[in-house]
Structures are given as C-alpha cells and as structure tokens.
C-alpha cells in the first residue's frame, strides 16, 4: 500500500473532479480532454465518440464541431508567419 | 495456414508443422537470389508467417515455434535484407532540430507533400463494386489487427511519448469497448459487403507488397532498436488518414452502401484528426526530445510507411486502370514433395 502523499493533491483525479483541459495545437484544432459535455444551441448533448476530441477552429471541417483534418488543405495558420526578409537599405 | 509461395515459405511450413526437423533451405542463397525483397512473395510470406506466431498464432501450429532458434534466425536474415532495402530506397527529408515544434512541423511537411497516386480518390470517383471489395480484402491483412503492431512500442518508450501512444492506442481499441475497436469496425464493414471477416481469411489473395507493408510495421514494432521508426510510422499513418477515409466513405456511399458499411471510414475521419496531432507532437516530438538519437529513425519510419504504402497503392491503381484484379493470382503450387 502506498502512503498518502501531499504531492498527490496536484494530480488530477480520474473522476468527476478532474478538470477539463483544452489544448490548442498550432495550426490545428483544439483538443479537449476530461469530463466535458458538448451541446447543440438548443441544449441537446452531442454524444462524444471518444475520450479526447478535436474541435475545429479553421471553420472548414465537414464534421463540425469536430475537426476532420481539413485545416491542412487550406493552409490554416494560428502562428504568426516568420517575417519576410527585408530588402537591404539603400546605401 | 497460408499456401506457400516458394522454397523458403514451403520449408518454413514443413518445419513448423513438424514435417522437417531442420529448416533445410539454403537461406543465404534464397536471399541472394531475390531481386526485390519488397516484392518477393516467398520471403515476405515466410516473414509474415513467422511474425503471425507473435500475434494470434497459426492454426494447428505449436505456439513454441515463436521463439524457436531456427524461426528467429529466419526472421533475422530476412529482416536484415528488408531493412537494408528500405534504408537504401527511402529518401529522408532534411532532418529538423530535435524538439517538439520542429519535429511536428517537419512531419506535417513530409506527409503533406505526399502526392502519389491516390487509392482514395479512385475509390471515391471510379471504383466498381468489385474493386471496392478488393480494396477491403487488401486492407484486411492489417486492418483486422489494426493498431497491434504499434502497441509493441508502449513498453519500449517512456515519459510523455508513452502516455501519448497509450492515448492513441486506447482510442484504436475502442476505449476498451469491443464493438468500437477499430479492427472490429473493419470486420463489420467487410461483413456488410458480403466478405468473410475471419482473421487471415484472404491471406493467399494478397500480393507481396501488402505483406511487406504489414511486415514492416511488425519489424519496427518488435525491435526495441527501431522504436523511433514505429513512432514515425504511426505519426505518418495518422497524418495521411483523415481525408482519405472521408473519400473511402464517399466511395462506398456512391456504390449504395449504408452507414453500417461506411461507419469504419467515417469514424477514422474524426479519430485520426485527433490522433495526428497527438502522434506528431506528443509522441514523435516528445520521443525525439527525450532521445535525440532517434530523430533520424522517426523520419525513416514515417518516410518508409509513405513509400511502401505508395508502392502498394500504385500497384492497385495500375491493375484497376488496366481492367485487371489487384489481387494475387497464385502461381506457385505447394505440391507434395
């Protein structure tokens, strides 16, 4: 048996108290983990098909609110583009 | 038990069925004789049979053969040739810095540049009902054990990369629900179009390159040395999956099949859009951060997967475009000695 440990308070419990986390993946969707519920505007719960879901943030998914990978085809960017090289100043 | 396709697979069959007490083939000569190990029916089938002993076993064959020295020596000899051929023929992109951001960006670039012939577009637009069934038969060799080859890597890696792999694999196995396991969803699709979904049922109908695609994953998965290649292979697989699966589903809908048949593909559009993010960053990126010496193998595994599946896809499209079957016509008769 493992003795109770103060550090354990930092570890999210795998239960009702577990916080929902949303991770923004660069140039891609939002991944949602935890005890979340997704609803339509009228409050109907959309049954989740998996524990971790990816929510569309580029707007072109055919499965909204879920991601279908379409962001790659349209070159969706969430990160600033590296600055274009500046032309040298005239002497 | 598959039909043999040449002297090596014939003698392996005889050895493990206890008809021979030793392998009895000059394996070095057989390996020297092949002009392309990726397309060699006899060698790929022999390796596939030996590998099946590590999965579900072969019907009527004693499970002890899995670790028998003669079987392991056979695997090692074919694997050396197979891995050397892959390393020689697969071209790697410029390797990025060994951190999460750079590895993920380079993997997205590599997989996004893959512009080979597209089985998914053919399925969506042109395939006949018979060609669609052939597609399922070819896929069944891997998909009826979907996820298993990458699962070998779980005990071989640590830290965030391990957690990421478990997160992906748990979803592949339906979150622990039998009827949602991806292999089971694929079986449902096969039954829905009137095919036999028994494991290995169509083994004699698939060409060497289909066996090579499956064997490559098992080779990567069952060698700890190649754990980087397993991570890269899974990442590339997931990163080239969502949109093709949408097209496969559209193809089967065009042919008049209902959601019972297309569910497998529709499920993968959504699932693999999740998995590709986790695989590129949290699996491959974290693994390379922890073990920078695996950087090259991550990209080797990714590029090898794209290469071999590209060859297999091109063969299918060539056959279908010429009006032929993409399935194998048995040429080698396993006559009694």
């Amino acid at each position: 048996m493992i003795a109770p440990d103060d550090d354990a308070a930092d570890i999210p419990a795998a239960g009702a108290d577990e916080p929902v986390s949303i991770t923004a993946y660069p140039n891609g969707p939002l991944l949602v983990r935890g005890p979340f519920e997704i609803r339509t505007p009228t409050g109907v719960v959309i049954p989740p098909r998996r524990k971790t879901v990816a929510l569309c943030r580029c707007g072109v998914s055919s499965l909204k609110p879920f991601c279908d990978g379409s962001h790659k085809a349209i070159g969706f960017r969430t990160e600033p583009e590296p600055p274009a090289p500046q032309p040298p100043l005239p002497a | 038990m598959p039909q043999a396709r040449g002297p090596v697979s014939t003698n392996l069959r005889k050895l493990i069925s206890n008809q021979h007490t030793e392998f009895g083939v000059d394996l070095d000569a057989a390996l020297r004789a092949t002009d392309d190990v990726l397309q060699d029916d006899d060698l790929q089938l022999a390796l596939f049979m030996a590998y099946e002993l590590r999965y579900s076993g072969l019907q009527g064959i004693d499970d002890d053969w899995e670790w028998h020295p003669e079987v392991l020596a056979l695997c090692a000899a074919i694997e050396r040739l197979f891995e050397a051929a892959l390393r020689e023929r697969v071209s790697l992109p410029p390797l990025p810095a060994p951190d999460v951001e750079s590895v993920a960006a380079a993997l997205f670039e590599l997989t996004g540049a893959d512009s080979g012939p597209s089985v998914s577009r053919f399925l969506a637009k042109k395939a006949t009902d018979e060609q669609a069934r052939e597609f399922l038969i070819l896929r069944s060799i891997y998909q009826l054990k979907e996820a298993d080859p990458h699962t070998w890597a779980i005990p071989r890696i640590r830290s965030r990369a391990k957690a990421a792999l478990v997160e992906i694999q748990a979803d592949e196995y339906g979150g622990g629900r039998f009827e949602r396991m991806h292999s089971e969803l694929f079986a449902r699709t096969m039954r829905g179009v009137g095919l036999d979904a028994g494991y290995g049922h169509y083994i004699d109908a698939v060409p060497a390159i289909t066996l090579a695609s499956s064997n490559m994953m098992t080779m990567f998965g069952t060698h700890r040395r190649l754990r980087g290649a397993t991570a890269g292979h899974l990442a590339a697989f997931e990163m080239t999956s969502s949109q093709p699966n949408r097209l496969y589903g559209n193809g089967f809908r065009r042919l008049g099949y209902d959601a019972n048949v297309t569910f497998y593909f529709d499920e993968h559009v959504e699932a693999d859009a999740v998995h590709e993010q986790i695989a590129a960053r949290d699996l491959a990126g974290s693994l390379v951060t922890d073990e920078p010496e695996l950087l090259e193998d991550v990209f080797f595994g990714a590029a090898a997967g794209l290469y071999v599946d590209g060859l297999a896809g091109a063969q299918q499209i060539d056959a279908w475009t010429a009006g032929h079957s993409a399935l194998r016509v048995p040429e080698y008769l396993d006559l009694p000695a």
Side-chain angles (χ1 to χ4, degrees), chain B residues 209-262:
Chain B
I209 194 71
T210 304
L211 300 176
S213 171
S214 171
N215 285 343
M216 177 175 62
M217 289 183 246
T218 306
M219 177 168 72
F220 292 166
T222 56
H223 288 263
R224 189 187 120 75
R225 174 176 63 82
L226 297 173
R227 61 199 181 282
T230 294
H233 184 280
L234 179 60
F237 200 97
E238 300 288 356
M239 295 164 88
T240 52
S241 179
S242 277
Q243 290 306 311
N245 272 293
R246 190 168 62 84
L247 296 176
Y248 297 140
N250 290 346
F252 281 89
R253 272 183 283 276
R254 174 179 60 77
L255 292 166
Y257 291 106
D258 64 10
N260 184 49
V261 165
T262 62

Side-chain angles (χ1 to χ4, degrees), chain B:
Chain B
M1 185 83 148
Q3 289 173 3
R5 302 190 185 186
V8 178
S9 50
T10 298
N11 280 46
L12 176 63
R13 269 187 62 136
K14 287 180 178 168
L15 177 73
I16 61 181
S17 330
N18 301 315
Q19 295 171 33
H20 279 184
T21 51
E22 57 184 42
F23 187 59
V25 161
D26 184 349
L27 190 58
D28 288 339
L31 293 175
R32 275 197 306 273
T34 188
D35 49 8
D36 184 355
V37 65
L38 272 65
Q39 302 283 1
D40 191 308
D41 273 296
D42 189 30
L43 295 178
Q44 291 295 344
L45 181 69
L47 188 57
F48 188 86
M49 286 166 61
Y51 279 167
E52 279 308 303
L53 296 168
R54 302 178 187 181
Y55 291 105
S56 307
L58 293 167
Q59 206 169 2
I61 302 301
D62 193 325
D63 286 338
D64 278 348
W65 284 106
E66 178 189 356
W67 287 84
H68 191 280
E70 294 236 43
V71 173
L72 295 180
L74 171 80
C75 289
I78 300 175
E79 284 164 349
R80 269 194 295 277
L81 191 70
F82 189 20
E83 186 184 344
L86 289 170
R87 292 213 184 254
E88 186 186 314
R89 287 161 65 174
V90 171
S91 49
L92 300 188
L95 295 179
D99 61 71
V100 171
E101 295 302 330
S102 309
V103 167
L107 282 170
F108 276 111
E109 192 171 333
L110 173 70
T111 52
D114 185 37
S115 59
S118 163
V119 173
S120 58
R121 284 195 292 274
F122 192 97
L123 248 291
K125 301 279 184 208
K126 296 187 202 159
T128 63
D129 193 65
E130 196 183 341
Q131 289 165 342
R133 281 160 204 257
E134 288 192 358
F135 164 77
L136 294 179
I137 287 171
L138 294 166
R139 285 297 181 103
S140 71
I141 301 305
Y142 168 62
Q143 248 75 34
L144 291 176
K145 61 170 181 263
E146 185 166 344
D148 289 347
H150 302 103
T151 298
W152 296 114
I154 293 173
R156 300 189 156 118
I157 61 179
R158 310 224 60 82
S159 191
R160 279 184 188 282
K162 184 200 283 280
L165 181 53
V166 170
E167 188 177 27
I168 294 168
Q169 298 301 86
D171 202 33
E172 294 282 342
Y173 293 118
R177 289 165 63 193
F178 168 71
E179 67 281 2
R180 296 194 71 99
M181 284 180 10
H182 286 180
S183 52
E184 185 53 26
L185 295 179
F186 192 80
R188 189 168 123 192
T189 294
M190 291 185 80
R191 288 190 290 266
V193 304
L195 293 172
D196 189 321
Y199 185 72
H201 182 82
Y202 293 104
I203 186 69
D204 294 326
V206 307
I209 194 71
T210 304
L211 300 176
S213 171
S214 171
N215 285 343
M216 177 175 62
M217 289 183 246
T218 306
M219 177 168 72
F220 292 166
T222 56
H223 288 263
R224 189 187 120 75
R225 174 176 63 82
L226 297 173
R227 61 199 181 282
T230 294
H233 184 280
L234 179 60
F237 200 97
E238 300 288 356
M239 295 164 88
T240 52
S241 179
S242 277
Q243 290 306 311
N245 272 293
R246 190 168 62 84
L247 296 176
Y248 297 140
N250 290 346
F252 281 89
R253 272 183 283 276
R254 174 179 60 77
L255 292 166
Y257 291 106
D258 64 10
N260 184 49
V261 165
T262 62
F263 184 78
Y264 171 86
F265 304 108
D266 299 338
E267 158 70 8
H268 277 74
V269 176
E270 188 186 315
D272 294 348
V274 180
H275 297 176
E276 69 174 353
Q277 300 297 334
I278 302 170
R281 301 178 59 82
D282 307 319
L283 170 60
S286 301
L287 182 64
V288 168
T289 306
D290 291 345
E291 301 187 81
E293 68 278 12
L294 299 181
L295 175 68
E296 183 171 330
D297 267 6
V298 165
F299 283 85
F300 166 61
L306 298 174
Y307 174 74
V308 172
D309 291 343
L311 286 181
Q315 264 176 243
Q316 286 168 50
I317 291 174
D318 285 352
W320 291 335
T321 307
H324 303 145
S325 165
L327 301 183
R328 168 178 172 265
V329 183
E331 294 159 9
Y332 185 88
L333 292 177
D334 185 25
L335 297 172

Side-chain angles (χ1 to χ4, degrees), chain A residues 10 41 53 68:
Chain A
D10 298 337
V53 300
D68 72 351

